[in-house]
Amino acid sequence: MCCRGCQAVAEAIVAAGLTDFYRYRTTSSRRAEDLVPESLRALELYDRPDLQKSFVHTESEHVRDAALMMEGIVCAACVWLNEHHVGRLPGVLEFRVNYSTHRAQVRWDERQIQLSEILAAISAIGYIAHPFDPRRQEVLQKRERTVALRRLAVAGLGSMQVMMLAVALYAGDYQGMEEWIRVFLRWICLVLSLPVVTYAAWPFYSAAWRDLRRGRPGMDVPVSLAVLAAFVASAWYTWQGGGEIYYDSATMFVFFLLTGRFLEMTARHRAGQISEALVRMLPATATRLLADGGEEVVPIAELVPGDRVLVRPGSTVPADGRVEEGASSVDESLLTGESLPLPRRAGEALIGGAVNVESPLVMQVEKVGSDTVLSAIVRLLDRAQSEKPRLALLADRIAGWFVAALLIVATVVFGAWWSLCDFDTAFRVTLSVLVVTCPCALSLATPTAIVAATGALTRLGLLTTRGHALETLARATHIIFDKTGTLTYGRPQVVAVEPSSNLEAQRCLALAAALERGSEHPVGRALVEAAGSAILSATELRNTPGSGVEGWIEGCRYRVGRSEFVADLSATPAVERTDLDDAASTWVALGDQSGVLAWFRLADSLRPGAAAAVAALQDRGLTVELLSGDCAEVVMHVAREVGITEVVGEMSPQDKLERLRSLQEKGKVVAMVGDGVNDAPVLAAAQVSLAMGSGTQLAHATADMILLSERLEHVVCGVDMARRTVAIMRENFAWAIGYNLIALPLAVGGWLTPWMSALGMSFSSLLVVVNALRLRRA
């Protein structure tokens, strides 16, 4: 036997004398694998490595990360249910759902659980999940909008007709109406309300039933109770020929709810447009170059590292790689926020999703699929939008308890009013309580604000990668900058050219660039970059490590590099530029057989706008500090240029960490801005951290925000946006709670009719969404 369980069953069959069953049966019993539903068999396809290649990112040997598209999400309670249900599965390390885009990010250990099992678990609670496909999501969003419009139209037409008849019935109560007309109008109201209550309101019922099955009542439970109770009671009174009817309240409640959710859905789609635009940046196909010189158009999913691809002018770069042939400019505005096209030459990197502007480029593919920079940006943005700040977590906790408390309060109110008055009055008051206190606004108070703010900042080139980042940045008291690569470019640049002969400065740069072209040395790259489009051809190049480069240009022999290396060519004494040199500069000589022709001064220059950004941060009440590992003289020089008074140089990473912790021990909230490996511990320890876009992968991994644009003024924009976001979240939160504190006593006291309650609840939710959408303007 395969196990003791099967052995026990077999022994029981034999002991009971039931073995004749196997002798006389006409068909074999179904095998275990035959009992697996076909839908679950289809899910197992997603466990195949060749299929996962296009949408699963490998974090480590056993840990995987994938983006999923969720169907059936209708409110924040659906997000909560999925996150809690899937998050408890053994082997699921993280599961987050972005309510705005209906995308989920899942991390799992494939030694404990397979992707198909995660998809099956989601299916078990009534939702559908499948690998994210931007084109399929666009279709789903269109379908969602079409269905929502259809239900809204049914509810709108039905509620308007019922309201017109309700006005006639109300007028009849005051002016008199024949009984047969009253009964006829009631039956017409029932017929007109039926499609509204059954078809238009169906999403509320299905969501409520799903919540009740899981034992987690959400906001759709009181909504469904209110609609069904109002309709059933009205239908009963219509059948009996007496009592108060609520067809107008029920249909209006459904119409207002659907209107609010439709507007919220439209706002959600708009707020998620930035991440959708990022996802759609990659083209569907690419032109791959063959070994025999031919071309073939292939889907980008078939590209592999090492492929050579032709990128024509106006075409989109299909994957990450490097330029092999050609020179052009590329537009990376949606990726980095940089509005001007950036020049790209042979050997320089290309980012998938950038647009080639001018000339054809031949590139070699280095990264594809989920390993590209674009995919990483989308993952980080999804993570930021789905992670919840403290206010959002508090709102979710309150909303969860609020629904249970609301049902208890409604029961108590019904009992109290019934003991004092008749059943009709108690029912009307209880119905008003259920309607007016629906916690939709409370659940929408923070997610819409977070998504709108992160989308606006991403358009600027400031990518938010953690949900708490905006809330923490708004509370920051200190902001610490690293110097190299943060306030400065972190690489030498030519800041002065001093010809020693009758040659022009541009001619000297062109000669130096010809010698250094193809060099990977930072000084050589700086000279080539400074020369720009001036191109000369050098031959017989010879590199002397630590000294410089020698070569022939137009029949003359030149050298560029250290002064003694250049002076050896003309057999003249070397001259050191100690008179004008300082600790922050490097001098490079250019010469031929007649002597030194020019001197180039190279320095790590400040980023544009650094001083203005520091001043703006100080104006906003932030204490700005500069901590660097460079020599104190250089650090002080940079600090004076940008206007920072709190400055320390020659600091090790441990020294920076200790300084950070000393501030935190005093109760300060510290924001850290850095770019390199040595900044990673400080970035991780800071309450909120920003990494430069050109920084290391380790810096990006530990940072809460990434400055893709590398424009320091956008740090100021980030602080302003963070403060606005927290202010609007608090406004929404205060409104949602204040509204319920005011509306609930009025409903309990019997001063609100059901239709008034429906109007107030819908207006409350709509106000919260509209207020949050103000953040879309960065």
Side-chain angles (χ1 to χ4, degrees):
M1 293 294 174
C2 61
C3 64
R4 294 195 176 276
C6 291
Q7 181 179 346
V9 172
E11 290 173 350
I13 291 173
V14 173
L18 300 176
T19 54
D20 285 347
F21 165 78
Y22 298 98
R23 186 184 310 165
Y24 296 112
R25 64 180 178 180
T26 55
T27 59
S28 300
S29 300
R30 296 177 68 185
R31 296 173 298 170
E33 54 266 28
D34 294 333
L35 302 178
V36 179
E38 191 61 34
S39 58
L40 295 185
R41 286 186 184 279
L43 294 180
E44 291 177 359
L45 293 174
Y46 293 124
D47 294 334
R48 291 169 46 181
D50 57 332
L51 198 59
Q52 290 187 357
K53 183 174 64 174
S54 61
F55 68 93
V56 174
H57 175 245
T58 303
E59 289 191 8
S60 62
E61 184 179 356
H62 300 292
V63 177
R64 303 290 184 266
D65 183 351
L68 304 177
M69 189 159 48
M70 302 288 294
E71 295 184 39
I73 300 289
V74 295
C75 65
C78 299
V79 173
W80 183 90
L81 175 61
N82 276 277
E83 289 179 344
H84 280 70
H85 177 68
V86 179
R88 292 175 179 173
L89 297 175
V92 175
L93 306 178
E94 191 175 18
F95 184 76
R96 299 181 310 273
V97 179
N98 184 337
Y99 176 58
S100 294
T101 59
H102 288 187
R103 285 210 302 270
Q105 204 71 27
V106 59
R107 291 175 63 244
W108 74 95
D109 188 336
E110 65 171 9
R111 292 172 297 182
Q112 301 181 52
I113 194 169
Q114 297 297 314
L115 180 58
S116 60
E117 298 175 74
I118 299 173
L119 299 179
I122 296 171
S123 177
I125 57 174
Y127 298 87
I128 300 173
H130 42 77
F132 175 69
D133 179 352
R135 292 166 183 82
R136 182 172 179 182
Q137 183 170 39
E138 187 176 3
V139 171
L140 288 176
Q141 286 185 345
K142 287 182 179 179
R143 187 175 70 187
E144 180 187 16
R145 182 180 176 86
T146 300
V147 172
L149 273 174
R150 190 181 300 128
R151 294 187 191 277
L152 184 60
V154 170
L157 290 172
S159 62
M160 285 189 292
Q161 301 301 318
V162 170
M163 281 301 299
M164 287 193 296
L165 297 177
V167 170
L169 288 170
Y170 291 146
D173 290 338
Y174 290 99
Q175 300 177 3
M177 177 181 288
E178 294 186 33
E179 186 61 25
W180 72 270
I181 296 179
R182 185 188 309 277
V183 172
F184 176 73
L185 291 180
R186 286 188 169 206
W187 278 101
I188 294 298
C189 286
L190 187 152
V191 173
L192 291 173
S193 301
L194 197 59
V196 178
V197 174
T198 54
Y199 172 72
W202 181 255
F204 305 128
Y205 308 146
S206 60
W209 175 245
R210 188 166 53 219
D211 293 343
L212 290 174
R213 279 194 307 164
R214 303 298 304 174
R216 306 284 185 181
M219 66 185 69
D220 287 308
V221 173
V223 168
S224 301
L225 282 176
V227 173
L228 288 175
F231 181 77
V232 170
S234 300
W236 171 255
Y237 288 139
T238 300
W239 177 263
Q240 293 295 318
E244 189 172 355
I245 59 173
Y246 306 97
Y247 294 121
D248 54 339
S249 299
T251 55
M252 192 191 308
F253 185 37
V254 173
F255 175 65
F256 285 152
L257 270 177
L258 290 176
T259 301
R261 289 200 176 180
F262 179 79
L263 294 174
E264 182 266 330
M265 176 193 70
T266 303
R268 172 165 50 80
H269 289 175
R270 287 179 179 172
Q273 280 177 353
I274 182 65
S275 57
E276 300 305 319
L278 286 172
V279 170
R280 295 191 185 99
M281 284 178 68
L282 290 179
T285 60
T287 303
R288 183 163 57 191
L289 300 180
L290 304 176
D292 59 4
E295 300 177 2
E296 65 172 347
V297 178
V298 298
I300 62 168
E302 294 183 11
L303 292 179
V304 296
D307 281 348
R308 297 174 71 246
V309 174
L310 174 64
V311 185
R312 294 184 171 89
S315 298
T316 302
V317 178
D320 291 359
R322 291 193 176 275
V323 179
E324 271 198 352
E325 300 174 17
S328 184
S329 297
V330 295
D331 181 0
E332 298 178 354
S333 56
L334 194 55
L335 287 165
T336 66
E338 176 58 56
S339 58
L340 296 176
L342 303 174
R344 289 291 182 265
R345 301 184 182 90
E348 295 185 329
L350 289 173
I351 301 176
V355 178
N356 183 18
V357 177
E358 297 168 350
S359 306
L361 292 174
V362 175
M363 66 173 291
Q364 184 177 42
V365 175
E366 293 181 346
K367 294 180 180 179
V368 296
S370 59
D371 294 327
T372 61
V373 171
L374 181 60
S375 296
I377 290 174
V378 172
R379 281 197 302 273
L380 292 172
L381 184 58
D382 276 345
R383 182 176 71 181
Q385 292 181 341
S386 57
E387 284 184 347
K388 297 179 177 65
R390 291 183 306 162
L391 278 177
L393 294 172
L394 178 62
D396 284 351
R397 285 196 295 269
I398 292 176
W401 287 102
F402 187 85
V403 171
L406 170 61
L407 296 176
I408 295 173
V409 168
T411 304
V412 172
V413 167
F414 179 77
W417 274 93
W418 198 5
S419 64
L420 297 174
C421 305
D422 58 349
F423 176 84
D424 289 350
T425 303
F427 182 81
R428 176 177 56 80
V429 172
T430 305
L431 186 61
S432 298
V433 169
L434 285 173
V435 171
V436 81
T437 52
C438 177
C440 297
L442 193 62
S443 296
L444 293 172
T446 52
T448 314
I450 290 293
V451 171
T454 52
L457 287 177
T458 303
R459 283 192 292 272
L460 282 179
L462 181 57
L463 180 67
T464 307
T465 66
R466 291 288 182 185
H468 73 88
L470 290 174
E471 185 182 9
T472 310
L473 185 59
R475 297 186 293 111
T477 59
H478 285 62
I479 184 164
I480 297 176
F481 282 97
D482 179 46
K483 182 187 76 70
T484 306
T486 305
L487 290 176
T488 66
Y489 281 103
R491 61 182 186 273
Q493 290 186 313
V494 177
V495 295
V497 181
E498 296 186 8
S500 302
S501 61
N502 58 359
L503 293 177
E504 294 182 355
Q506 192 60 36
R507 172 67 178 177
C508 295
L509 276 173
L511 291 170
L515 295 173
E516 293 284 5
R517 198 167 305 279
S519 171
E520 290 298 318
H521 194 280
V523 171
R525 288 204 299 267
L527 290 169
V528 172
E529 183 178 336
S533 59
I535 300 176
L536 295 175
S537 178
T539 59
E540 300 184 34
L541 291 172
R542 183 167 59 88
N543 179 35
T544 303
S547 296
V549 180
E550 176 184 321
W552 289 81
I553 304 174
E554 298 175 349
C556 294
R557 188 173 165 196
Y558 294 90
R559 282 186 180 182
V560 62
R562 297 174 63 90
S563 58
E564 58 269 23
F565 173 70
V566 174
D568 284 346
L569 183 60
S570 59
T572 57
V575 178
E576 293 292 340
R577 295 300 301 265
T578 55
D579 54 333
L580 297 176
D581 199 6
D582 60 40
S585 299
T586 299
W587 288 91
V588 174
L590 170 71
D592 61 7
Q593 292 174 323
S594 64
V596 175
L597 300 176
W599 291 91
F600 305 105
R601 184 185 176 200
L602 290 87
D604 186 5
S605 57
L606 281 174
R607 292 183 184 273
V614 169
L617 292 170
Q618 292 170 338
D619 290 341
R620 285 156 176 77
L622 288 165
T623 301
V624 182
E625 295 189 12
L626 174 58
L627 306 181
S628 177
D630 282 3
C631 66
E633 182 182 350
V634 175
V635 177
M636 288 299 299
H637 173 73
V638 171
R640 283 193 298 270
E641 286 195 62
V642 298
I644 298 177
T645 56
E646 300 284 337
V647 53
V648 184
E650 300 180 7
M651 297 190 77
S652 67
Q654 183 61 34
D655 294 333
K656 294 181 183 179
L657 197 56
E658 290 175 1
R659 171 60 181 163
L660 176 74
R661 286 174 175 164
S662 69
L663 290 172
Q664 291 173 333
E665 288 171 1
K666 297 174 184 176
K668 309 298 183 184
V669 179
V670 183
M672 175 69 192
V673 186
D675 80 315
V677 173
N678 60 343
D679 295 324
V682 193
L683 289 169
Q687 282 100 329
V688 61
S689 53
L690 296 88
M692 303 302 289
S694 60
T696 63
Q697 290 295 322
L698 183 57
H700 289 178
T702 53
D704 302 311
M705 306 177 83
I706 300 175
L707 190 59
L708 296 172
S709 67
E710 300 197 343
R711 295 169 60 180
L712 294 176
E713 61 266 29
H714 289 162
V715 176
V716 183
C717 297
V719 173
D720 291 341
M721 179 62 76
R723 292 178 176 179
R724 285 179 58 204
T725 302
V726 171
I728 284 181
M729 284 196 297
R730 286 174 177 164
E731 289 172 7
N732 287 348
F733 206 52
W735 167 257
I737 293 177
Y739 160 77
N740 280 287
L741 290 177
I742 295 172
L744 183 58
L746 292 175
V748 171
W751 288 294
L752 290 180
T753 62
W755 71 266
M756 292 179 184
S757 301
L759 188 61
M761 186 279 306
S762 301
F763 176 74
S764 172
S765 301
L766 184 59
L767 183 66
V768 164
V769 173
V770 171
N771 190 39
L773 288 180
R774 291 190 295 133
L775 292 168
R776 295 182 70 237
R777 299 188 300 270

